[in-house]
């Protein structure tokens, strides 16, 4: 199924998936051409294919091209999400990708509300001041 989409992104033409027991300590671990995913994800009716596409995308954005430090982890996730959305738009249409984006953004906002303002995870928002830190901006 990914052949046309793989060509779109310039990706590998073969990607294998190994489903692991629920005791695997993380949900997924990507490698170029091989992705490990916990088997319990098969029980979810929510976006299984999208999760698989996202993890496969990490084979290129996160492994082949990666961030220098953990502080730039958003770069790996952002590029994998970009590739995932390009592929799902090509395969299923723009409306599908827009709906998936809205559902995931809503889930993120719900999780941040549950964590609360005092949790360090909810404080990962970078606030740039005009005229400062301009060397860290990709675009002005």
């Amino acid at each position: 199924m990914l052949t046309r989409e793989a060509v779109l992104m310039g990706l590998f033409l073969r990607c294998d998936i190994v489903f692991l027991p629920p005791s695997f300590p993380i949900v997924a671990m990507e490698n170029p051409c091989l992705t490990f995913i916990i088997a319990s994800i098969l029980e979810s009716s929510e976006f299984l294919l999208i999760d698989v596409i996202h993890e496969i995308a990490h084979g290129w954005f996160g492994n082949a091209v990666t961030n220098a430090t953990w502080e730039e982890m958003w770069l790996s996730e952002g590029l994998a999400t970009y590739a995932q959305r390009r592929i799902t738009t090509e395969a299923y249409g723009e409306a599908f990708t827009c709906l998936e984006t809205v559902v995931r953004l809503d889930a993120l906002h719900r999780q941040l509300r549950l964590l609360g303002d005092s949790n360090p995870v909810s404080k990962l928002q970078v606030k740039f001041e005009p005229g400062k830190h301009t060397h860290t901006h990709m675009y002005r």
Side-chain angles (χ1 to χ4, degrees), residues 39-49 51 104:
S40 59
I41 202 167
L42 293 172
E43 298 169 2
S44 170
S45 60
E46 297 181 22
F47 306 113
L48 170 64
L49 182 60
D51 294 325
R104 293 207 183 229

Side-chain angles (χ1 to χ4, degrees), residues 1-7 10-18 30-35 52-53 55-60 63 87:
M1 179 189 128
L2 287 180
T3 303
R4 180 179 60 165
E5 290 77 14
V7 170
L11 307 177
F12 302 111
L13 296 179
R14 177 182 172 142
C15 298
D16 294 321
I17 301 170
V18 175
E30 74 289 334
N31 299 282
C33 301
L34 179 63
T35 298
V52 170
I53 291 170
E55 293 308 319
I56 290 172
H58 272 302
W60 300 275
N63 293 331
I87 291 168

